[in-house]
Amino acid sequence: MKFFVDTAEVSEIRELAATGLLDGVTTNPSLVAKSGKQFLDLIAEICDVVDGPVSAEVTATDAETMLKEGEKLAKIAPNVCVKLPLTKDGLFVCKRLTGQGIKTNVTLCFSPAQAILAAKAGATFVSPFVGRLDDIGADGMGLIAEIVEIYQNYDYFTTEVLVASVRGPAHVVSAARLGAHVVTAPASVIKSLLNHPLTDKGLAAFVADWKKTGQSIL
Ligand code: E4P
């Protein structure tokens, strides 16, 4: 399973990249606005830090402008993945960019029917938003299960399921159990995967007992 971090904060990306466990980055216009940075410079900076796919979202909603934006974003670095909304225009542009060999991430997916269209448009990734579905009382992980099942029925669907809008470690574990290819989560969620009180307690006891032996490995 691949881990992407969902942030536009370069310091967070650097910290996670240093662990060697980070496979990519996703951003969106809201995260970019929060960062206060110039979008194109920011994407270039992130692409320097991470070798894996870096999702950069178009901001137009019509196909013609979206295509131009996507082509411009893709020129920033070879690992840019153009993020497109799951609309008729977005899917049209997805197919065009895919035809040019550009990586794409079709975002704001909330139904299995939409995910089928993203795969047919040749998206590199489809991003179903589990947290936002849970927020309205729907079943986010149920959607992931349906998409994974559908994609497995067609070996010519090469689109990877990128679980987005992740709120905590339970979402990550459920996504892994379902066989989703990727999760993108805030840095705080990725870091929290490490935590278990019994690990801390066990390590403290081992350190204390080792000290009693008076020995040293080195
Ligand atoms: C994914 O690419 C999106 O940027 C993100 O996961 C949205 O998450 P949110 O629902 O927490 O805003």
Side-chain angles (χ1 to χ4, degrees):
M1 165 178 254
K2 285 177 266 191
F3 280 179
F4 292 179
V5 64
D6 193 34
T7 184
E9 296 304 326
V10 180
S11 57
E12 290 185 336
I13 296 168
R14 278 187 202 288
E15 190 188 342
L16 281 169
T19 67
L21 302 176
L22 187 67
D23 302 296
V25 177
T26 53
T27 65
N28 65 41
S30 307
L31 294 170
V32 172
K34 204 170 131 202
S35 79
K37 292 201 174 172
Q38 284 299 312
F39 182 39
L40 302 184
D41 298 341
L42 174 67
I43 295 300
E45 198 181 346
I46 297 173
C47 288
D48 269 351
V49 178
V50 177
D51 292 332
V54 174
S55 287
E57 190 158 344
V58 297
T59 52
T61 53
D62 68 284
E64 196 186 335
T65 321
M66 254 192 240
L67 184 58
K68 284 184 192 148
E69 288 182 349
E71 287 169 344
K72 184 167 178 178
L73 290 170
K75 283 193 185 113
I76 296 175
N79 54 331
V80 165
C81 177
V82 178
K83 209 171 176 189
L84 301 152
L86 211 158
T87 60
K88 184 156 74 78
D89 289 54
L91 292 174
F92 173 81
V93 174
C94 176
K95 186 126 200 182
R96 292 285 297 271
L97 293 177
T98 299
Q100 295 181 39
I102 294 171
K103 285 184 279 299
T104 50
N105 174 0
V106 173
T107 191
L108 292 167
C109 174
F110 292 97
S111 79
Q114 290 180 318
I116 293 170
L117 293 176
K120 285 191 66 67
T124 314
F125 302 104
V126 65
S127 291
F129 278 34
V130 294
R132 293 193 194 188
L133 280 169
D134 291 354
D135 290 346
I136 60 159
D139 180 9
M141 277 301 154
L143 172 61
I144 302 302
E146 285 186 273
I147 298 173
V148 169
E149 181 196 347
I150 291 166
Y151 281 12
Q152 279 171 352
N153 289 339
Y154 301 95
D155 53 12
Y156 54 87
F157 277 180
T158 55
T159 303
E160 295 193 9
V161 181
L162 196 174
V163 179
S165 189
V166 164
R167 302 279 195 251
H171 273 159
V172 178
V173 173
S174 300
R177 293 186 70 184
L178 291 168
H181 305 86
V182 193
V183 284
T184 189
S188 58
V189 172
I190 296 179
K191 287 188 211 165
S192 73
L193 296 173
L194 198 63
N195 301 339
H196 199 291
L198 290 180
T199 303
D200 299 338
K201 193 178 163 194
L203 183 59
F206 288 156
V207 168
D209 289 342
W210 178 248
K211 222 176 213 169
K212 287 180 208 157
T213 71
Q215 300 178 50
S216 155
I217 295 173
L218 297 176

